[in-house]
Amino acid sequence: MGLISWYVVIPAATAFAITLVPKAKPMAIRWVASTGGFLLVLLSAIVSVKYWNLAAADIELLRTSMFTKLYMVEQWTWFKSIGIEYFVGVDGISVLMLDLTAIIIFTGSLASWYVTERPKEFFALLYTLVTGVFGVFVSFDLFLFFVFYEVAVLPMYLLIGIWGTGPRNYSALKLTLMLLMGSAGLLVGILALYHGSGIHSFNLIELSKIHFPEAFQLWVFPIIFVGFGVLGAIFPLHTWSPDGHASAPTAVSMLHAGVLMKLGGYGCLRVAIYLMPEGAIYWAMFFMALATVNILYGSLGAIKQKDLKYFTAYSSVSHCGFVLFGLLALNLMGIKGAVIQMFSHGIMTGLFFGLIGMVYGRTHTRMIPEMGGLAKVMPWLASAFYIGGLASLGLPGLSGFIAESHVFLGGFFGNQWHDITLMRTLTILATLSIVVTAVYVLRGLATVFHSTITNPEFEKLTDATLPEKISTGVLIAALAIGGMLPWLFVDLIEGSIFPFLNRLHESGMISSL
Amino acid sequence: MSYSLTDIFGVLPELILVVTAITAILVDVASKGKDSSATMLVTAVGFIVSGIAAISGVGTIGVLMNGAVFQDGFTTAFRAIFCLIGFLTAIFSPAYLHFRNIRLGEYYPLLTMSVLGMMVMVGAANLLLFFIGLETMSISLYILVSLNRTNSKSIEAGMKYLVMGAFSSAFMLYGIALMFAVVGSINYNDITNYFLADPTLGPLTIAAVALLLTGFSFKIAVVPFQFWSVDVYEGAPATVTAFMSTGPKAAAFVVFIRVFGIALHPVASHWTLLLSWIAILTMVFGNVAALRQTNIKRMLAYSSIAHAGYLLVGIVAGNHAAFAATGYYLAAYALMNLGAFAAVIIVNQRHGTDGSYRFDALKGLGFAHPLLGISLTIFMLSLIGLPPTAGFLGKLYVFSAAIETGHIVLAVAGLLNSIIATYYYLRVIVLMYMAKPEGDTTIPRPLPYAITLIVLSVLILLIGVFPEPVISLMIAVAP
């Protein structure tokens, strides 16, 4: 078994190991879970370094290649008669996503240290969920990809429904039904690709060697894009996201907003744009306009929220809009920005949801007006919140700035297929959200952590404990590395983005569009 | 007419069941109706032996008995599945029948005869043998449905089923007669050859096809001939419901494929549109009606109507791969539906419930009974169609075949319906895991219950992850 399969084996084994630990030993359960998370971080570090060395030699080749080059590939036939393969590997983009997922699950496990209600079932389901997520990022067979994606859906439903807060049953059901609706569309799209290709294969690389007819691309592209877009909270199919995130328990919010929503953007790029470049060129402006609505609507929605989780959830809708916006700019700068934004927002929102969970565990309220002056009693948590907030409004020096500036530049540069004035107008509109974000983030933080302590009960609260400090510390370090050493990320992903661009240019030249 | 040894060995599973049924009757007589456990044991062993005989036929393709019986993948696979269904129903029943105070030894021989009828149906290579199988199965079922003699609902169900069943048999028989008048033969292969040579439809042919289609629609309970099924499913003893919603339905579907999918294939284009509409209406009706049920038994009854709609999609798609897909889906459906009914029967024996199959009985059972909770969750996931279960692959194969043959609207309708269905299947999981347990959560836990749940959930996952053997069996359908 190769290195990449461990991404599926470790979380699955962790989930299994947790079920073997006796119920009466919650400490042992936490340790098993966190160890699993730590191993995944370690694995990601090894894979990243290995990828780095392997891919550095190929950069010139990739510059002109039409096909994604995979590394550390493992490929076996699974169902011969239908052409399904166990086909896993990585390129730069998936390495970055795997790093993100590993960091989030590790810190998420630590942030859930104090889950007291059925911790055994909780962590077992959490690691089942994350098995599916890792599986998606390593799969290059569309069937396998889809199966892993669906594997993640049910544990999420149970996690929100059982361990959630507020109107959890409603939120869990809404989220599940909307995501399944998206995946039903996705399945139609994938089957259309399978049969339309004429080679009866789900292998993404093989499929990319087929040139799908233009008319075919024009109707399949939106189906697949929207199918993934639901997960990426594309307007107006984002409504599951605020409710779902607000009701979910801490680690699930972290994983969901941090990683699963990125899976939407990842799928849009990996499947829709990669296989159907002409469809992408045709539909780009339509979806870009929707992404602009996402960005503005999310940030305006966040302003009026009183609940910290809804506040963060709406801001996620806005930030995920940047991902789609950057992808649809269809140029190097935009796509690069979008991929960095996936990582950056994943870490940032993970940090936010983690912190909210920690604060809520102490104050037992998430309502912003009911809190005040918390910085005095919990300086660590307050500082962490500030750093996350500053990353969110795009302060230079943190990764949010790198991502957003790339996305905006990408939008502003435009591309050769679309009207530059329209793209620039959309970009300027999207940029406005930065101002709005600054307003709500700063105002929210000031209310919660400064002014005087409103509730005398809060005087007795304590600051972060060791697991919580490690959890937030790791996330802050990742944000800072992204901001200070952006070339690390750029070098990691840039080579893998060229094939996407080359395909777009090739099809742009031969098509009549 | 003479039969060779190959013929005899080819129908060995059926012969074993005949012997089993007779032995079971004798054993029951010997026990003077006091204790039916020996009868049950004989039946269970009979099913195992017959199942082994069936599986040993893997890989042989041909016709037996002077062209009366198909020996192919479908026959082999469904013989084995029917034996499994029969076996599990047999071992599962004693505790339930005891709970319901039904003490009748004839239950087991009737079950055996019914399975025998199903086997004859799927193997039949001509319309008459199929009809004989159908009647063998149906007559046993009429009695089984009304076995709970002291319960008026059971009697009502038996009566309804008898009347409806007799009606549909009459339609079917009339159709067979007319088909014979047109073609001059009752063999499927002759029918195919006849229509290959002359694909025009005369009035007589249209009447024959319409009558056969009506008969099948009754048997597989699709719109607009589905009304009997829910009341019958509700009134019959629950183990019988579990049995008849899986085995007989699968048997009728297999014959439907053989007759409408394969034998009448040359003229299939005439009713593709009609069947598409029936499929869509059946799915929508089943799912929408299931949404509002408060009784799990009725919910599952409506859901099995919806599944008949998905299965029809495969028949409409109409190529070889589509039939294999439908066969796979049928196998998956039989396993998951049987499992769901079994789990529901167990839940309904929870202390303090009134045996009325209300959803409330599920409350809080998930954490109290892990095996029951997990297996019922697997059955629900499979019914929804989520991986890695067999239900997912079944839907995938069927809808994939539909897209391949250009029936994209059908595939989309099927998928949208699956989303509606998600709502009511998830409700079961919600109640098990997210509702606070009310009152006593003790349920009886005899060994056969555990065996049934484990066997079915393991099989669902197993063929969900490794479908290749099942699919390769199904694809080997006789011409």
Side-chain angles (χ1 to χ4, degrees), chain A residues 308-325:
Chain A
L308 267 179
K309 270 199 158 177
Y310 271 102
F311 171 88
T312 314
Y314 272 98
S315 113
S316 284
V317 171
S318 170
H319 283 111
C320 284
F322 286 123
V323 173
L324 297 176
F325 191 91

Side-chain angles (χ1 to χ4, degrees), chain A residues 326-403:
Chain A
L327 291 180
L328 292 165
L330 302 182
N331 57 29
L332 181 62
M333 201 59 118
I335 296 181
K336 211 157 52 175
V339 176
I340 301 176
Q341 171 74 350
M342 288 189 216
F343 180 84
S344 157
H345 174 255
I347 298 287
M348 187 171 79
T349 203
L351 178 62
F352 264 135
F353 278 115
L355 287 167
I356 294 170
M358 294 169 199
V359 170
Y360 176 71
R362 293 172 165 77
T363 59
H364 300 289
T365 177
R366 295 194 313 241
M367 305 315 267
I368 296 172
E370 291 173 23
M371 292 187 256
L374 293 180
K376 292 193 187 82
V377 287
M378 36 183 96
W380 176 284
L381 294 181
S383 322
F385 238 119
Y386 261 94
I387 296 169
L390 295 177
S392 155
L393 56 81
L395 188 79
L398 295 166
S399 62
F401 171 73
I402 308 294

